[in-house]
Amino acid sequence: MTTFNERGVREQRDAVPDAGAPASAIGLIFGSGFLFSCLDTSGKFLVTAGFEAPFVAWVRFAVHLVLVLLLFQAWKNPALFRVSSLPWQIVRGGLLFGSTLCNFLALRTLQLAETVSIFFFAPMVITALAGPLLGEWAGWRRWMAILAGFAGVLVITRPGFGTFSIGHVFALGAMTCYSLYVILTRRMGARETAESLIFYSALTPVVLIFPAVPLYGTLPTDPLHWVVLVALGFFGGFGHWLLILAYRQATTYALAPYPYLQMVWMVAFGYVVFGDLPDAWTILGAAIIVTSGLYIVRREHKLRLAARKAARAQDDPRAKRL
């Protein structure tokens, strides 16, 4: 695996804002969505088979950590260990683990399509939190989209109608932890190496949660359970890798619609593996959330274009003579 600064790559790609997504980038997005769906399906398979969610989540990151050490050639890559702020690296890793753990806890009772639909609300939460935490305040149009997305979450969970459960609470917790994880990543991206961000997000939960593993860990006796347990780290690790490769080739705006197609994989796996099909309320809520998310991406894209045009106008030598 080649190493690079993901933030720099995105900025370089966004310098050509109207470029469409090449077929290779779209294929990588499809591949990452497939692997993430495999991750969630495997996690649901294990937690419904009786394995404790903290143990399943810990194994997922332990295998991921081994992959990072091997693929980044840790023995000759000092950038992997170099940090500017170790405490914030630990907090960030804890948030990612919290998101994974809450997701596995939610999957004990919820369908795959339900959890991923609620998870799709994360971009709207990130937009809302970017104001107080990053100083990137959203305008009224994006706030209307955020409220519409929240309405979609309410359609799925339907509190007060006897359908809201502890599984929905965990799904919302997974989405919230992930949103904070992304916000923190954006804050740390200018100071930390991309290698260290990947490495410490896997190392932190492996080290911190290890003392509790004997309390929750139950070694599989079925060979199939061993295979699925080990595969978790591969699905998560390579899924993130494909996602990063995709954003090396295309802008965030050009790729915005395609991650939502993960819903197709989740519905398919839910039906084939567990015999689940989402109800009409879940489909309606997911449609509202996806539409709101795409609007926010489009609006932010237009604002970036306007900001670049204004900056170029100010730098024009003729403007300086006016």
Side-chain angles (χ1 to χ4, degrees), residues 115-131:
T115 58
V116 77
S117 297
I118 294 172
F119 199 82
F120 283 157
F121 186 58
M124 279 144 277
V125 174
I126 293 168
T127 300
L129 294 178

Side-chain angles (χ1 to χ4, degrees), residues 10-11 13-17 136 142 186 251-256 296-312:
R10 288 196 181 190
E11 289 174 351
R13 292 296 309 172
D14 287 344
V16 189
E136 302 171 3
R142 281 176 288 170
R186 287 167 62 175
T251 64
T252 303
Y253 177 71
L255 290 174
I296 286 178
V297 172
R298 182 176 182 274
R299 181 65 183 165
E300 291 179 347
H301 175 69
K302 291 179 66 175
L303 292 174
R304 283 195 299 269
L305 283 178
R308 289 194 186 99
K309 290 180 180 178
R312 285 196 293 268

Side-chain angles (χ1 to χ4, degrees), residues 85-109:
S85 175
L86 183 59
W88 282 117
Q89 289 272 15
I90 294 173
V91 171
R92 179 176 172 274
L95 287 170
L96 184 59
F97 179 80
S99 178
T100 303
L101 175 61
C102 286
N103 186 48
F104 288 164
L105 289 170
L107 287 169
R108 290 190 303 185
T109 56

Side-chain angles (χ1 to χ4, degrees), residues 114 118 150 152-165 168-169 171-172 281-282:
E114 285 182 281
I118 294 172
F150 182 66
V153 173
L154 294 180
V155 169
I156 295 173
T157 58
R158 301 190 298 284
F161 290 89
T163 57
F164 190 77
S165 67
H168 292 108
V169 174
L172 291 169
W281 291 107
T282 300

Side-chain angles (χ1 to χ4, degrees), residues 59-82:
V59 173
R60 174 255 187 274
F61 282 99
V63 177
H64 190 167
L65 177 62
V66 173
L67 288 176
V68 169
L69 292 173
L70 293 176
L71 293 175
F72 280 94
Q73 299 181 341
W75 53 91
K76 59 177 181 180
N77 187 3
L80 198 65
F81 308 98
R82 190 181 306 126

Side-chain angles (χ1 to χ4, degrees), residues 32-240:
S32 68
F34 174 79
L35 291 173
F36 290 144
S37 299
C38 289
L39 172 63
D40 283 358
T41 303
S42 300
K44 182 175 177 62
F45 174 78
L46 291 169
V47 296
T48 54
F51 291 91
E52 294 291 341
F55 174 67
V56 175
W58 183 85
V59 173
R60 174 255 187 274
F61 282 99
V63 177
H64 190 167
L65 177 62
V66 173
L67 288 176
V68 169
L69 292 173
L70 293 176
L71 293 175
F72 280 94
Q73 299 181 341
W75 53 91
K76 59 177 181 180
N77 187 3
L80 198 65
F81 308 98
R82 190 181 306 126
V83 295
S84 174
S85 175
L86 183 59
W88 282 117
Q89 289 272 15
I90 294 173
V91 171
R92 179 176 172 274
L95 287 170
L96 184 59
F97 179 80
S99 178
T100 303
L101 175 61
C102 286
N103 186 48
F104 288 164
L105 289 170
L107 287 169
R108 290 190 303 185
T109 56
L110 299 185
Q111 295 183 7
L112 292 169
E114 285 182 281
T115 58
V116 77
S117 297
I118 294 172
F119 199 82
F120 283 157
F121 186 58
M124 279 144 277
V125 174
I126 293 168
T127 300
L129 294 178
L133 297 181
L134 297 177
E136 302 171 3
W137 297 96
W140 69 269
R141 294 180 180 86
R142 281 176 288 170
W143 270 108
M144 292 301 293
I146 291 169
L147 293 176
F150 182 66
V153 173
L154 294 180
V155 169
I156 295 173
T157 58
R158 301 190 298 284
F161 290 89
T163 57
F164 190 77
S165 67
I166 188 64
H168 292 108
V169 174
F170 283 127
L172 291 169
M175 180 271 299
T176 302
C177 285
Y178 179 76
S179 300
L180 293 172
Y181 163 82
V182 172
I183 290 286
L184 193 54
T185 299
R186 287 167 62 175
R187 290 195 61 176
M188 297 169 63
R191 303 188 304 272
E192 306 286 1
T193 65
E195 295 90 342
S196 70
L197 289 172
I198 295 172
F199 172 66
Y200 284 98
S201 64
L203 178 66
T204 297
V206 170
V207 174
L208 295 184
I209 308 302
F210 179 74
V213 170
L215 300 177
Y216 295 100
T218 302
L219 294 179
T221 57
D222 187 332
L224 176 60
H225 290 159
W226 271 111
V227 172
V228 176
L229 196 59
V230 174
L232 289 171
F234 286 90
F235 293 145
F238 284 110
H240 282 288

